[in-house]
Amino acid sequence: MRLALYRRLLSFVRPHRWRMVLAIASSLIAATLDGYSFILLIPFLNRLFDQPSLPAQGGWLSRLLASTVGAYLDPSNPMRSLQNVILMLFGTVLVKNLFTWIAGTSSAQLQEYVTRDMRDAVYRHLQRLPLAYFTRMKVGQIISRVLSDTEQTKALVTALITQALQQTATVVVYVIVLFGISWKLTLIALCVAPMVTLSLQPLLKRLRTGYRNLRNESGEMMSVLQESVSGIRLVKSFGAEGYEEGRFIGASHKFSSGLVRMARIALVSQPVSETLGTLVTVVILWVGARQVLLYHSLQGAAFLVFLSMVLRLLIPVKGLSQIPATAQNAFASAERIFEILHAETEIERDRGSREVHAFQRAVVFENVSFSYETEPVLSDISFTAQKGDVIALVGSSGAGKSTLVDLIPRFYEPTAGRIRLDGVDIREIRLGSLRSLIGIVSQETVIFNDSVRNNIAYGSRRSYGQDEIEAAARAANAHGFITELPQGYDTALGERGARLSGGQRQRIAIARALLVDPPILILDEATSALDTESERLVQEAVDRLLEGRTVVVIAHRLSTVMHASEILVLERGRIIERGTHSRLLAQRGAYHRLYSLQFRDEEDPVPV
């Protein structure tokens, strides 16, 4: 599982591999210079204690010192020798820190750019997922995965590419130098790594599971926050502040308790590794002292340098031992991210290969049925919408009206039957080509926090001029109120169109549809919740929108569809009646009952 995750992450690292190479190379150079700076302490200490400058034991370490600083060591002038060694030591540390800075900068760039690309990829993939995915997932969970989980996953890049490589380079160089000083003491020192790794394995398994649960709890907390902020008007109108406060505090406390629990488990790794490291250091002190004092097989200066390097080595070793524990949170987040990235997109599901550029004759439903998983929603739906027809769908809430219109642009696929456009099964038409022929105006109008101009021209496949945008706005009865806004068409409308009334938002949506000029229109009739004046203006705009188009309209107010070409009455996913307004009234069936209930207080309803 982990190896697979690393492979997936590497696909995001590859575009920035030169930064990774630079970080690795700089880390290796810095580690090598760091080890060499310790080696320079041997001639310094030997001179300080009036011993021969170079180690008497010989070996590659002595040859390295002889070739690099031997020429600057003058036995007749100890102070000059010390001065030369100090200058070389300072220069080595200076260059080492320069490469350390280069490695750190390259690593930081690598982390942030990989995280950015991952965040972009998740968002890009989300935009192409089918509608069914968003009905299953909470908004807060999606936001958490796009923002929080991508940020958490950065720790994997940090641990794998930067920390681990830098610390591994330091450990490798130190171990080579330590072997050059004393192979026996080095073998004792190296036993700490497997001891730490084996002792932490049970801990890592618990952390992996715990952190995954924690990311889910974080998503739940974000979901509660998003719901309460989005519905703040409803919350206040029902006096439900205390209830929402309880929901959020409950989710917040659960998340915090999980964090504390995970921190408590994760922090066990540090004392375990430090205790084992200290134990090894004590053993080294005892064995090394015997080699210096009893067997004279090791110089005192070399042993001091060895001991200093071992103590210094504990820092990267401890860091490496903690990387697996730290990475568990990132592993959990990475798994959640790749769940999204591996979800099949609409484009991947799309088997259509035909291009259509115009709508000529009819949209035909042939015995269409649809189910959400095992729950049947539509059963045996058949009707024909000829070019220029207005097909009205009426029925009680939950009858399947919205699901039916969602099948036309292939937001969902029928589970049985087929839908044909000009004789072609719409599943054979490329998704983008099909949707280019369809416009949708919903009752719940979506307005973005952008200018009026960009809202009207939203999603357009070509650039529209100001004259075209204004013409669409005039036809939608929107130009008048737009020009009264502070910056006219450049006015930012605020989140969800907060600066506009309900009628104004509807007219912006109608202008958006008029600009694109689709031959097929899906209309969730949207005048029922407006005041009389706004309703009149919106209905005039709707009438213009319907002209010359094939329309499938979900009718909330039956007076608005009295002149529809055909009215379909749905009940529990089936068409129970169909016909014109007058014919259905004459049948005195379900439509007559709905009509009578809606207009029982009106003797002579007049179309709006």
Side-chain angles (χ1 to χ4, degrees), residues 124-363:
R124 191 181 301 114
H125 197 81
L126 270 173
Q127 295 299 303
R128 288 159 177 78
L129 290 179
L131 196 62
Y133 181 87
F134 297 93
T135 60
R136 295 193 306 267
M137 287 287 291
K138 293 181 179 179
V139 175
Q141 287 283 6
I142 293 174
I143 293 172
S144 176
R145 295 188 186 207
V146 174
L147 301 180
S148 301
D149 285 339
T150 51
E151 189 65 24
Q152 290 292 336
T153 304
K154 180 168 65 175
L156 275 181
V157 181
T158 306
L160 178 66
I161 305 300
T162 59
Q163 255 180 289
L165 290 175
Q166 290 170 356
Q167 291 172 346
T168 300
T170 302
V171 169
V172 169
V173 170
Y174 276 33
V175 167
I176 291 172
V177 174
L178 291 175
F179 266 111
I181 296 174
S182 171
W183 65 268
K184 292 180 181 179
L185 292 179
T186 303
L187 290 177
I188 295 172
L190 289 179
C191 71
V192 67
M195 290 170 61
V196 170
T197 302
L198 292 173
S199 65
L200 293 179
Q201 283 308 307
L203 184 75
L204 298 179
K205 291 180 181 178
R206 289 188 63 187
L207 285 173
R208 181 83 170 273
T209 304
Y211 277 127
R212 182 171 178 81
N213 294 335
L214 234 130
R215 300 316 307 160
N216 289 330
E217 288 167 10
S218 172
E220 286 298 315
M221 182 173 64
M222 199 169 291
S223 289
V224 174
L225 177 62
Q226 186 270 334
E227 289 171 357
S228 62
V229 171
S230 299
I232 191 64
R233 186 183 297 274
L234 180 68
V235 172
K236 290 186 175 295
S237 66
F238 279 85
E241 292 91 343
Y243 172 73
E244 291 298 332
E245 181 180 324
R247 286 180 69 209
F248 182 79
I249 288 175
S252 176
H253 285 199
K254 188 176 181 181
F255 178 64
S256 294
S257 298
L259 273 177
V260 170
R261 184 171 61 253
M262 288 300 99
R264 188 168 56 243
I265 296 171
L267 287 172
V268 170
S269 64
Q270 182 172 344
V272 167
S273 58
E274 190 165 336
T275 301
L276 292 173
T278 303
L279 175 63
V280 172
T281 303
V282 169
V283 174
I284 290 172
L285 282 170
W286 174 252
V287 175
R290 291 172 64 84
Q291 287 187 2
V292 173
L293 299 175
L294 294 181
Y295 307 119
H296 306 292
S297 58
L298 186 66
Q299 284 186 324
F303 178 60
L304 287 175
V305 171
F306 185 94
L307 191 59
S308 299
M309 291 190 73
V310 167
L311 293 174
R312 179 77 174 269
L313 187 63
L314 288 178
I315 297 174
V317 167
K318 186 164 67 175
L320 287 172
S321 69
Q322 290 174 350
I323 283 174
T326 305
Q328 297 314 302
N329 191 5
F331 271 123
S333 293
E335 287 173 353
R336 282 162 49 91
I337 286 172
F338 285 110
E339 280 178 5
I340 291 180
L341 291 176
H342 287 168
E344 194 176 30
T345 65
E346 285 186 312
I347 296 172
E348 291 168 337
R349 290 184 177 185
D350 185 16
R351 299 296 179 262
S353 58
R354 300 182 64 163
E355 293 283 342
V356 291
H357 303 288
F359 172 57
Q360 303 291 342
R361 299 188 302 277
V363 176

Side-chain angles (χ1 to χ4, degrees), residues 408-425:
I408 300 172
R410 288 177 55 196
F411 292 153
Y412 300 103
E413 301 278 0
T415 50
R418 62 177 180 170
I419 304 169
R420 291 189 292 120
L421 187 146
D422 291 342
V424 179
D425 190 327

Side-chain angles (χ1 to χ4, degrees), residues 584-603:
L584 290 174
L585 281 182
Q587 289 179 1
R588 304 188 69 82
Y591 182 80
H592 182 274
R593 185 171 60 254
L594 289 170
Y595 189 83
S596 300
L597 286 171
Q598 194 168 113
F599 295 107
R600 62 175 177 262
D601 296 327
E602 300 181 29
E603 295 182 0

